[in-house]
C-alpha cells in the first residue's frame, strides 16, 4: 500500500508540475500520464484524487505555503518544490485521511527523488512548521477564498 501510494503521489507530482509549467488541460494531462504507465486502478484513482483536489485549491494552498515559508516567494520557488508542498498541504489540511507524519515523510521522499539537493530539507522545514499549526491550517484552507 505504501509503495502504491508513493507511486500515485509521484504521478500526481508529475501531472501538477506539467500543469504548472504549461497550458495543458487537466483531463488530457491526467489521461496522458495514466496511458504512459501500467498502473493498477488504486494507484490511478489515488493520483487522480490528489490532482483533482490540489489543482483547483492551489491558490489557497499557495497562500498557506507563503504564510509558512515567507522567506521564499512563490514566484521564486521551484515548481517541483511548490507542488510537493501543495500535495502535502492538501492531504494534511483538506483530505485528512493519512497521518501527518506519513504525509511529511512521503513529501520528503518525493523531494529527495525529484527536487534539488536542498529540496528535502526545505520541504521538511515548511511541513514541520505547518504540522505545529494544524488547526490553523485546516481553518485557513476551509475558509472561503477572498474575493479578488
Amino acid at each position: 500500500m505504501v509503495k502504491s501510494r508513493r507511486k500515485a503521489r509521484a504521478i500526481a507530482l508529475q501531472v501538477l508540475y506539467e500543469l504548472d509549467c504549461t497550458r495543458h488541460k487537466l483531463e488530457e494531462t491526467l489521461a496522458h500520464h495514466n496511458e504512459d504507465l501500467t498502473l493498477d486502478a488504486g494507484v490511478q484513482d489515488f493520483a487522480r484524487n490528489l490532482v483533482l483536489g490540489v489543482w483547483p485549491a492551489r491558490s489557497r494552498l499557495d497562500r498557506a505555503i507563503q504564510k509558512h515559508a515567507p522567506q521564499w516567494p512563490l514566484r521564486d520557488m521551484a515548481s517541483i518544490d511548490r507542488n510537493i508542498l501543495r500535495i502535502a498541504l492538501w492531504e494534511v489540511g483538506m483530505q485528512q485521511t493519512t497521518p501527518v507524519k506519513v504525509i511529511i515523510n512521503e513529501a520528503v521522499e518525493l523531494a529527495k527523488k525529484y527536487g534539488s539537493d536542498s529540496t528535502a530539507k526545505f520541504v521538511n522545514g515548511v511541513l514541520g512548521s505547518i504540522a505545529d499549526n494544524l488547526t490553523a491550517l485546516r481553518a485557513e484552507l476551509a475558509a472561503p477564498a477572498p474575493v479578488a
Side-chain angles (χ1 to χ4, degrees):
M1 174 107 157
V2 171
K3 281 194 171 223
S4 64
R5 290 248 167 151
R6 182 169 292 167
K7 189 175 205 175
R9 286 183 182 96
I11 292 165
L13 176 61
Q14 292 166 19
V15 170
L16 292 165
Y17 176 81
E18 182 175 334
L19 291 170
D20 218 16
C21 295
T22 68
R23 293 181 185 253
H24 295 170
K25 297 199 184 312
L26 175 67
E27 287 298 328
E28 292 170 9
T29 305
L30 272 170
H32 171 75
H33 282 271
N34 283 338
E35 284 175 9
D36 283 353
L37 304 167
T38 310
L39 302 171
D40 68 43
V43 171
Q44 285 182 355
D45 289 345
F46 190 63
R48 181 178 184 76
N49 287 339
L50 287 171
V51 171
L52 293 177
V54 169
W55 191 246
R58 66 190 178 280
S59 63
R60 286 178 184 210
L61 297 168
D62 288 352
R63 281 192 302 277
I65 292 167
Q66 196 61 75
K67 182 176 180 180
H68 294 277
Q71 70 281 15
W72 288 98
L74 284 168
R75 70 183 177 282
D76 296 340
M77 194 179 295
S79 183
I80 286 290
D81 299 8
R82 185 172 50 248
N83 281 295
I84 290 170
L85 290 170
R86 284 173 176 167
I87 291 168
L89 262 68
W90 185 80
E91 282 194 85
V92 166
M94 299 175 98
Q95 188 181 42
Q96 301 180 29
T97 59
T98 304
V100 174
K101 287 183 180 187
V102 172
I103 293 167
I104 292 172
N105 183 56
E106 289 295 305
V108 169
E109 290 303 314
L110 283 174
K112 287 177 184 176
K113 185 169 184 177
Y114 296 102
S116 68
D117 291 343
S118 61
T119 299
K121 187 175 181 178
F122 171 68
V123 165
N124 191 48
V126 173
L127 294 178
S129 167
I130 288 168
D132 292 340
N133 299 294
L134 277 182
T135 304
L137 171 72
R138 289 176 175 159
E140 279 175 52
L141 294 176
V147 178

